[in-house]
Amino acid sequence: MELDVETADVIRLIMQYLKENNLHRTLAALQEETTVSLHTVDSIESFIADINDGHWDVVLLAIQYLKLPDKLLIDLYEQVVLELIELKELGAARYLLTQTDPMIMLKHTQPERYSKLETFITSPHFDANEAYPEGSNKEKRRQAIAQALTEEVSVVPPSRLMALLGQGRICEGALYRLQETKALRQFGSLALLSLKWQQHQGLLPPGMSIDLFRGKAMMKDLEEERFPTQLCRLIKFGPKSHVECARFSPDGQYLITGSVDGFIEVWDFTTGKISKDLKYQDQDNFMMMDEAVLCLAVSHDTEMVASGGQDGKIQLWRIHNGQCLRKFEKAHSEAVTCICFSKDNSQLLSASFDHTIRVHGLKSGKMLKEFRGHTSCINDLVFSHNGHYIISASADGTVKIWNAKTTDCTNTIKTPDVPEGADITVNNVVLVPRNPEHFVVCNRTNTVVVMNIHGQVLRSFSSGVREGGDFVCCTLSPRGEWIYCVGEDYVLYSFSTITGKLERTLTVHEKDVIGITHHPHQNLIATYSEDGLLKLWKP
């Protein structure tokens, strides 16, 4: 079996490491010597959100190591200059106009366009009609720039080099031998050795090319998103140890489950068996809580898993060795129902039967913030793509939007099609990929909707089943082309966001379904129910 690895990817791994550790001079030297560019951002969604919100300081910082087309750079800097003029920040606008390469290039290649910007700076009033062509405006220009920039960049899991070396059981001490091009040979050898180890363990299937940089094996052509039609694996837990929660790791390597008996187990979903490449599981040692595990979250670098328990406790674990890193004994006064990591993996967001949402610091081990306002159990919550907001779903029938910094509730949304005076529990809120302000809301009705943070319903999808078909859980495909809902009738409903139609139904269990989760980049769905079965479905 051939190992297909791009040489440039090895170089980019090192560049990413240098960037994350603020070794900017070495990074610049490496880029100049190798002519390889680091075309990555931490999150496409956050990147788009920052552009659409006009957070240009963040955007310009993010693109400083990107090799972008001259036309795109000119469009970007021109927009920043225009918005600075509109804000009366004339000194900053004049500096960008006269001192930055894209604007100097504009002056030499399109003098009339450059002269127009000079006129705006000296004009006493800013006229948007003069600044933007007919049919355009500030928001449309931002959207066009966001679209063009996202086509030039990709997302890479944080600490990818460290994770890769760790998976290959390679000593971190090698990182300290970083010395220009000599390091390329060292790191290249280490990374390839790590990949060979993964291939030897069967983690990289035959016929797959290896995207070393992004951290996953992938097909040469991007896999088309398709709805599931058949069962591919069945994992039996038994009714007294059924799964309460399950999550695929962001790198796509593991399926992790939390059970009613307190066990947290890491699975090889390709075989449906416990992952024996984790030494502690091979020796029949497992991560375990004192009471039922009701929720799980995996850190964005797949290094850690957080678990929330029936007893109100939260525990933080290192996946590769099963070690408990932190225990929040009094995270909540009642059962923890949902949990997620912040974008930088430094904080945990949790909610509970006690009606509260809390933010916990992983380093301090302390509660940092509390959000109050729901009047019943909170079933689901998530950070917005840019991390500025928290969106929560509750059994009180509402979705609330919170300011993550101030803890203020900025909007309370009553889900649609609910009779006056009735509180229909909201099961899930799921962010729509690549669309910063949109999210899917699934409540205990036969209709699932796409909304924005202002509470407007943008689209709705209905099962058409009048009785016994209310939805209990939902998930989205990685690119958001499919919404998958499971009903009280044990049926999986597959809605296409492209056609707007219900395209397929599939009976997935014979008893009440507890949850559903989607693989991060494969057409693979896991469902689990009170019958003690976890099932994996594929097209």
Side-chain angles (χ1 to χ4, degrees):
M1 191 188 303
E2 276 193 15
L3 200 61
D4 183 9
V5 177
E6 292 288 337
T7 305
D9 282 349
V10 179
I11 298 171
R12 290 191 183 101
L13 278 172
I14 300 165
M15 288 180 170
Q16 184 199 21
Y17 174 81
L18 295 171
K19 178 184 175 183
E20 290 176 340
N21 289 275
N22 298 315
L23 300 171
H24 300 299
R25 289 176 62 186
T26 309
L27 173 56
L30 194 55
Q31 281 193 318
E32 185 177 351
E33 183 174 343
T34 62
T35 68
V36 173
S37 297
L38 186 65
H39 273 205
T40 67
V41 291
D42 294 334
S43 162
I44 291 284
E45 291 79 12
S46 297
F47 191 50
I48 294 173
D50 285 331
I51 296 169
N52 287 331
D53 293 342
H55 297 153
W56 298 116
D57 54 337
V58 178
V59 174
L60 293 178
L61 191 64
I63 68 163
Q64 63 179 321
Y65 296 115
L66 307 185
K67 191 174 178 62
L68 298 171
D70 292 339
K71 179 185 180 302
L72 180 52
L73 279 173
I74 287 172
D75 289 346
L76 171 62
Y77 274 80
E78 180 185 43
Q79 185 62 27
V80 177
V81 169
L82 284 172
E83 293 194 27
L84 286 171
I85 295 171
E86 184 180 4
L87 293 169
K88 303 295 184 185
E89 297 285 351
L90 302 181
R94 189 173 286 106
Y95 176 83
L96 286 183
L97 188 63
T98 59
Q99 301 297 319
T100 58
D101 290 342
M103 291 293 89
I104 292 170
M105 186 185 306
L106 177 67
K107 184 177 183 179
H108 290 105
T109 58
Q110 301 178 60
E112 290 184 7
R113 185 174 168 187
Y114 182 88
S115 178
K116 191 175 179 182
L117 292 174
E118 285 185 314
T119 302
F120 286 137
I121 286 182
T122 56
S123 175
H125 303 291
F126 180 81
D127 188 341
N129 292 326
E130 287 186 26
Y132 301 107
E134 188 176 349
S136 182
N137 56 37
K138 178 168 66 178
E139 287 70 28
K140 289 181 179 178
R141 278 288 301 272
R142 286 178 176 179
Q143 290 170 7
I145 291 168
Q147 178 63 37
L149 279 172
T150 53
E151 290 174 2
E152 299 289 335
V153 301
S154 58
V155 174
V156 177
S159 304
R160 177 64 191 138
L161 179 61
M162 300 298 289
L164 187 61
L165 296 178
Q167 288 166 6
R169 308 299 191 263
I170 294 171
C171 175
E172 291 183 13
L175 294 174
Y176 297 104
R177 298 197 296 271
L178 183 62
Q179 292 177 350
E180 303 300 345
T181 54
K182 182 181 178 183
L184 293 184
R185 294 192 294 273
Q186 291 173 335
F187 280 120
S189 300
L190 294 173
L192 285 169
L193 180 58
S194 179
L195 285 169
K196 287 179 183 294
W197 177 85
Q198 291 183 63
Q199 200 170 45
H200 174 69
Q201 294 291 319
L203 300 176
L204 302 176
M208 303 288 274
S209 68
I210 298 162
D211 191 332
L212 173 69
F213 193 38
R214 290 168 187 79
K216 57 182 179 247
M218 59 190 294
M219 300 305 292
K220 287 289 185 186
D221 297 313
L222 194 63
E223 192 176 28
E224 178 189 357
E225 292 197 340
R226 293 181 294 154
F227 56 75
T229 61
Q230 58 182 311
L231 180 69
C232 62
R233 285 287 179 270
L234 175 66
I235 303 175
K236 295 181 180 180
F237 287 81
K240 293 184 179 179
S241 59
H242 68 257
V243 172
E244 282 283 350
C245 48
R247 290 288 181 270
F248 286 99
S249 59
D251 67 357
Q253 188 171 332
Y254 298 122
L255 173 66
I256 305 175
T257 59
S259 305
V260 72
D261 56 7
F263 280 92
I264 301 160
E265 295 163 296
V266 184
W267 299 84
D268 179 348
F269 55 83
T270 61
T271 63
K273 298 183 184 300
I274 285 289
S275 183
K276 295 291 189 180
D277 65 300
L278 298 172
K279 189 175 180 180
Y280 60 98
Q281 290 197 157
D282 190 39
Q283 297 171 348
D284 288 332
N285 295 317
F286 295 93
M287 298 176 281
M288 190 174 181
M289 298 191 76
D290 296 332
E291 294 191 25
V293 182
L294 300 188
C295 54
L296 290 172
V298 187
S299 63
H300 303 293
D301 57 6
T302 312
E303 286 289 304
M304 301 173 289
V305 60
S307 57
Q310 179 88 41
D311 54 7
K313 295 177 182 176
I314 291 175
Q315 287 179 246
L316 182 69
W317 313 83
R318 191 170 297 285
I319 294 173
H320 78 82
N321 63 12
Q323 177 188 358
C324 182
L325 301 173
R326 175 75 70 183
K327 195 170 185 179
F328 299 86
E329 292 281 359
K330 297 179 180 178
H332 287 275
S333 60
E334 295 184 48
V336 184
T337 53
C338 42
I339 194 168
C340 68
F341 280 86
S342 62
K343 189 168 66 171
D344 63 359
N345 299 321
S346 68
Q347 297 176 353
L348 279 175
L349 180 68
S350 67
S352 166
F353 273 102
D354 65 12
H355 309 176
T356 68
I357 299 167
R358 292 176 177 174
V359 176
H360 314 270
L362 298 192
K363 287 186 178 179
S364 67
K366 296 178 181 179
M367 184 185 78
L368 305 178
K369 293 177 183 175
E370 184 176 73
F371 304 75
R372 288 184 174 269
H374 280 298
T375 58
S376 188
C377 166
I378 299 160
N379 295 320
D380 202 4
L381 84 172
V382 65
F383 278 109
S384 64
H385 288 306
N386 60 14
H388 297 164
Y389 298 97
I390 292 164
I391 307 169
S392 58
S394 172
D396 64 15
T398 67
V399 172
K400 287 183 180 287
I401 314 295
W402 309 83
N403 184 308
K405 188 174 183 179
T406 67
T407 74
D408 294 331
C409 178
T410 61
N411 199 3
T412 297
I413 303 166
K414 192 80 173 178
T415 47
D417 301 325
V418 175
E420 190 67 34
D423 290 338
I424 304 296
T425 187
V426 187
N427 307 309
N428 299 106
V429 282
V430 187
L431 296 180
V432 175
R434 294 177 177 268
N435 204 318
E437 293 195 347
H438 296 178
F439 53 90
V440 172
V441 176
C442 172
N443 64 6
R444 199 86 178 200
T445 66
N446 67 354
T447 302
V448 62
V449 297
V450 180
M451 306 182 80
N452 63 20
I453 59 173
H454 307 295
Q456 297 169 311
V457 176
L458 307 173
R459 302 184 75 181
S460 65
F461 304 83
S462 177
S463 69
V465 178
R466 293 189 177 275
E467 291 186 15
D470 290 346
F471 298 139
V472 296
C473 55
C474 85
T475 191
L476 264 69
S477 61
R479 296 198 295 277
E481 294 174 11
W482 294 92
I483 299 174
Y484 299 110
C485 300
V486 181
E488 295 173 323
D489 52 5
Y490 322 136
V491 172
L492 174 67
Y493 295 86
S494 302
F495 297 101
S496 168
T497 59
I498 296 174
T499 67
K501 296 178 181 178
L502 173 63
E503 298 289 350
R504 176 76 183 219
T505 60
L506 179 69
T507 300
V508 288
H509 287 277
E510 296 178 357
K511 288 195 175 181
D512 287 347
V513 177
I514 296 171
I516 182 171
T517 187
H518 201 298
H519 192 278
H521 49 260
Q522 290 181 24
N523 289 315
L524 187 66
I525 288 174
T527 60
Y528 42 99
S529 81
E530 290 184 356
D531 56 14
L533 300 177
L534 183 146
K535 297 182 179 182
L536 290 156
W537 305 89
K538 68 177 184 179

